[in-house]
Amino acid sequence: PANCARLLSASSPHASAWLSVIPTPHKNLHLDPPEFQMALKWWLGLDTSQNGSSCSFCPSHALDPLGHHALTCKSGGDSIFRHNSLRDTFWESCKLACIAGQIEAGSGLDVEGSRTRPADILLPNWEFGKPAALDFTITSALNPSTLNEASVMAGSAASAAEIRKHVANDEKCSRLGWVCIPLSVETYGCWGEEAGRCLDRLATRIATRTGCSKSSAVSGLYGRLSIVLVRANTRALLARSSSLS
């Protein structure tokens, strides 16, 4: 099931966009040689576990060949780095479209005094005249809780992550007059349906503002997000491996 889930996720639309990105080091849109080597091993399903060695950040957990633990490990700060990198890349794309907004919005704003922040990025007048609270979440198609579904249908893990975000954020967003839009993506690059609609709308705005074609805006947007995702993934894999051999 794990390899079926991997192949379905990796072959979904735009998941392989990172392979077509022109390396641009000054924009951090590139992979260093060790990162590229590890990215290819991981993408092709080769063993990244260093013969079953333990995670360097939580030694009680053994590394698995497909890198699932390394990419979902909460220790070491790599999951936070990946989340923030995607958020910042999306935010820079909003600037290309001249869309104003706010990062990390919502804490303490409602009468309930909740300290949660349902908006990684808050965009005004985005949907139905209401602000949109965009909340990034990165999940894995290899999660045991959704593995059976993910092995037969691409995007199952991303869809489950969208539901979890709605459960966590809808009530507070409703009190604030916002629309909750989860931007879920699997580690292999399969985006959730709501994220896909949001990215398509942003690409349209970018094309209108810059004068480029819609297809060029779509490929550029997904390419930037894809290379940032893969680079953060390889950082997590390399941090838990002593070598590439």
Side-chain angles (χ1 to χ4, degrees):
N3 263 310
C4 289
R6 175 183 68 82
L7 289 170
L8 283 172
S9 184
S11 60
S12 64
H14 308 294
S16 60
W18 65 279
L19 291 167
S20 302
V21 174
I22 298 174
T24 314
H26 71 279
K27 293 184 178 180
N28 288 323
L29 300 179
H30 74 294
L31 297 174
D32 294 330
E35 293 172 337
F36 189 67
Q37 292 177 54
M38 178 59 85
L40 287 181
K41 288 182 66 175
W42 165 72
W43 189 254
L44 295 173
L46 303 179
D47 192 348
T48 63
S49 65
Q50 300 297 298
N51 296 318
S53 58
S54 297
C55 175
S56 55
F57 294 101
C58 43
S60 62
H61 289 85
L63 297 176
D64 56 283
L66 295 179
H68 172 66
H69 172 76
L71 299 183
T72 56
C73 180
K74 300 301 182 183
S75 302
D78 291 300
S79 62
I80 296 174
F81 172 81
R82 180 177 57 197
H83 171 277
N84 291 347
S85 295
L86 282 174
R87 178 203 62 196
D88 293 346
T89 301
F90 186 95
W91 179 238
E92 289 301 317
S93 297
C94 288
K95 293 179 182 178
L96 280 178
C98 294
I99 298 174
Q102 182 181 350
I103 291 180
E104 299 292 346
S107 178
L109 291 182
D110 64 340
V111 294
E112 301 294 329
S114 171
R115 304 303 299 175
T116 60
R117 289 185 300 229
D120 286 323
I121 298 175
L122 183 67
L123 299 180
N125 301 318
W126 183 258
E127 191 163 302
F128 308 117
K130 294 182 178 181
L134 309 183
D135 195 3
F136 278 92
T137 181
I138 301 94
T139 187
S140 172
L142 308 185
N143 278 335
S145 61
T146 55
L147 181 57
N148 288 336
E149 294 86 348
S151 66
V152 295
M153 182 177 294
S156 295
S159 295
E162 287 179 339
I163 293 172
R164 290 194 296 271
K165 282 295 183 181
H166 278 298
V167 170
N169 295 332
D170 276 356
E171 183 179 353
K172 182 167 185 177
C173 284
S174 178
R175 291 198 299 266
L176 294 171
W178 299 349
V179 176
C180 173
I181 301 180
L183 300 184
S184 65
V185 61
E186 297 172 4
T187 51
Y188 286 103
C190 178
W191 290 88
E193 290 185 7
E194 293 186 68
R197 290 193 294 269
C198 182
L199 291 171
D200 183 75
R201 185 170 180 177
L202 177 57
T204 299
R205 299 278 289 270
I206 291 173
T208 300
R209 188 67 187 183
T210 63
C212 70
S213 67
K214 172 69 178 295
S215 61
S216 176
V218 168
S219 62
L221 178 58
Y222 276 104
R224 290 189 295 274
L225 291 168
S226 180
I227 193 70
V228 166
L229 174 64
V230 170
R231 192 179 191 194
N233 285 342
T234 58
R235 167 181 164 143
L237 290 163
L238 288 168
R240 289 158 180 81
S241 303
S242 58
S243 69
L244 289 171
S245 61

